Amino acid sequence: MPQILSPTPEHIQDLVDQLRVGQIVGLPTETVYGLAANAQSIEAVQKIFTAKGRPADHPLIVHIASPDSQSENNSFGDQDWLDRLAPWAREVPKCAVDLAKMFWPGPLTIILPRAKGVLDIVTGGQQTVGIRCPNHPQAQEVLHAFGGGLAIPSANRFGRISPTTAQHVKDEFQTISELLILDGGACEVGIESTIVDLTHWDSVGPVILRPGAITVEQIESCTQMKLGQQPGQAIRFSGGLSAHYAPKTSLILLDESSQSNEFNQLTGRVAWASWVTPGELHLDVNKLELTHYVFPKVPQEAAQKLYELLRTLDAQKFDFLVFPKLPQTNQWAGVRDRLARAAVGSGIDQ
Ligand code: TXA
Ligand code: MG
């Protein structure tokens, strides 16, 4: 059975030792828990793909340590980030440095042209690489002690709900008996990082590939550029699949601002996470065995609770899960995106 370790200096050293001999480990980040491997070892990274059941052409994000020294005002300078990015990125435009200075360490992944030595298995054979400096004390401790980049996808089996506690990671990888998982508490952000592609910044501007806690407005205001659309063929992108983050129970999104027919067609045991009560929507719920949950009204809170709630409800074998259709605002973009994909992929027990 995988082992959950408290974050003592000895346990952090145990994790680093595992990484040095090419093993994978479970690591907390502020977004979701990840499965980490040495980004410069083909054999180590291969273990991630095997454990997750992830298709080989889906690229991984390289996670880097924050710069070693801070200036007087507690921030890092341009050169600090350029030095950190140099082993991974061939070109680093000013907008990338601006974003790093503003949001790193933090829940933002930046896509840049890859440097020469970056492994194909990490980039999925593409000419670009995703890089993130995570803002979790234990993730940073491990990165600093390890002294290199770590490839870290979310620690869930491919297509399934991402983990936000050490126990979720253990539940997900029961069969990997030697897996060590560092317990860094419940993730503060709760959904994966915003991914911004800067490889076409000079022609179309920054492009958001995956919405997250860092919003469109924040990226536009930091870079002083309008966000653009991906030119040409879409790149491979697992979070970009229409079905992802999926519970095994069927998940339905309900427009709570209208009298929805969808709800009236349901039968059996239903878990309803919502902003309103059945009475407020004048729904006929008599034929249902309905359990009502309050869905957070603040986007950051909803993000933090989302995967935990989906996992808990999924384990209770309801016939249907019902969640609200979320507002079309940038603040809700991250949670809206995850729920939409979770709904498409739901209801398949494998
Ligand atoms: O918050 C996060 O980003 C978490 C934590 C653990 O850091 N990690 C994470 O990794 O979400 P993963 O592998 O579950 O999702 C990474 C996404 C994938 O959809 C992948 O396709 C995309 O990032 N990606 C990675 N490198 C890319 C690249 N070079 N170009 C385009 N997409 C890329
Ligand atoms: Mg993932």
Side-chain angles (χ1 to χ4, degrees):
M1 238 205 280
Q3 209 185 331
I4 295 180
L5 303 177
S6 57
T8 62
E10 293 74 28
H11 287 155
I12 286 177
Q13 190 55 48
D14 290 344
L15 239 75
V16 171
D17 291 343
Q18 288 285 298
L19 290 167
R20 291 228 167 97
V21 297
Q23 291 300 336
I24 54 175
V25 299
L27 199 64
T29 84
E30 79 281 27
T31 56
V32 298
Y33 273 70
L35 214 50
N38 180 357
Q40 276 160 323
S41 160
I42 296 175
E43 294 74 25
V45 175
Q46 182 56 52
K47 289 180 186 159
I48 289 179
F49 284 89
T50 308
K52 282 183 61 93
R54 179 171 171 130
D57 57 3
H58 284 284
L60 300 172
I61 298 169
V62 175
H63 291 60
I64 58 172
S66 55
D68 291 319
S69 59
Q70 285 190 332
S71 58
E72 294 133 29
N73 60 355
N74 241 7
S75 61
F76 303 113
D78 290 26
Q79 197 55 47
D80 296 320
W81 288 116
L82 286 168
D83 291 346
R84 275 296 191 247
L85 288 167
W88 309 102
R90 190 175 68 240
E91 276 167 40
V92 182
K94 179 176 177 303
C95 53
V97 177
D98 290 344
L99 286 171
K101 277 167 67 178
M102 177 82 84
F103 299 113
W104 278 357
L108 181 72
T109 295
I110 301 177
I111 310 284
L112 292 170
R114 70 192 262 192
K116 250 204 188 118
V118 185
L119 297 176
D120 273 337
I121 191 170
V122 170
T123 66
Q126 301 177 104
Q127 288 311 307
T128 59
V129 61
I131 308 167
R132 176 163 110 82
C133 180
N135 185 25
H136 188 289
Q138 276 95 46
Q140 282 298 334
E141 277 183 58
V142 170
L143 281 161
H144 278 277
F146 178 68
L150 293 174
I152 319 185
S154 53
N156 52 281
R157 281 167 301 115
F158 184 67
R160 291 298 179 192
I161 305 170
S162 302
T164 53
T165 67
Q167 184 61 45
H168 293 166
V169 183
K170 188 173 177 179
D171 295 344
E172 203 66 26
F173 297 108
Q174 283 296 337
T175 50
I176 309 182
S177 56
E178 69 279 20
L179 184 70
L180 298 185
I181 305 160
L182 193 67
D183 190 352
C187 299
E188 261 177 47
V189 176
I191 58 171
E192 299 83 347
S193 57
T194 304
I195 302 182
V196 58
D197 183 352
L198 294 180
T199 54
H200 305 284
W201 69 273
D202 50 351
S203 51
V204 298
V207 176
I208 291 204
L209 299 184
R210 178 175 71 186
I214 310 280
T215 62
V216 169
E217 285 88 355
Q218 285 176 296
I219 290 170
E220 288 188 335
S221 118
C222 172
T223 57
Q224 298 286 298
M225 284 187 243
K226 268 259 160 259
L227 288 183
Q229 297 288 324
Q230 191 81 45
Q233 213 191 351
I235 44 168
R236 285 184 295 270
F237 176 60
S238 66
L241 297 175
S242 59
H244 210 74
Y245 318 109
K248 293 171 185 164
T249 318
S250 292
L251 169 65
I252 286 161
L253 303 181
L254 178 77
D255 182 353
E256 298 192 343
S257 61
S258 74
Q259 310 284 319
S260 177
N261 294 328
E262 288 155 299
F263 206 92
N264 291 335
Q265 285 160 7
L266 301 182
T267 51
R269 293 182 64 233
V270 175
W272 185 25
S274 83
W275 287 331
V276 294
T277 60
E280 284 175 77
L281 267 194
H282 307 293
L283 294 171
D284 175 14
V285 293
N286 289 333
K287 61 182 185 345
L288 300 178
E289 199 184 314
L290 189 74
T291 315
H292 187 253
Y293 297 83
V294 177
F295 193 72
K297 285 207 166 110
V298 179
Q300 289 81 355
E301 230 176 277
Q304 212 257 329
K305 298 269 171 355
L306 180 70
Y307 291 145
E308 167 78 34
L309 185 58
L310 281 174
R311 272 177 186 270
T312 309
L313 298 182
D314 205 19
Q316 294 177 44
K317 308 267 179 250
F318 286 99
D319 294 307
F320 293 97
L321 310 181
V322 181
F323 275 66
K325 225 172 233 170
L326 297 168
Q328 292 290 327
T329 60
N330 288 331
Q331 269 59 39
W332 280 104
V335 181
R336 197 175 63 235
D337 167 78
R338 302 313 189 278
L339 269 181
R341 294 182 206 282
V344 173
S346 70
I348 306 162
D349 198 348
Q350 46 176 285

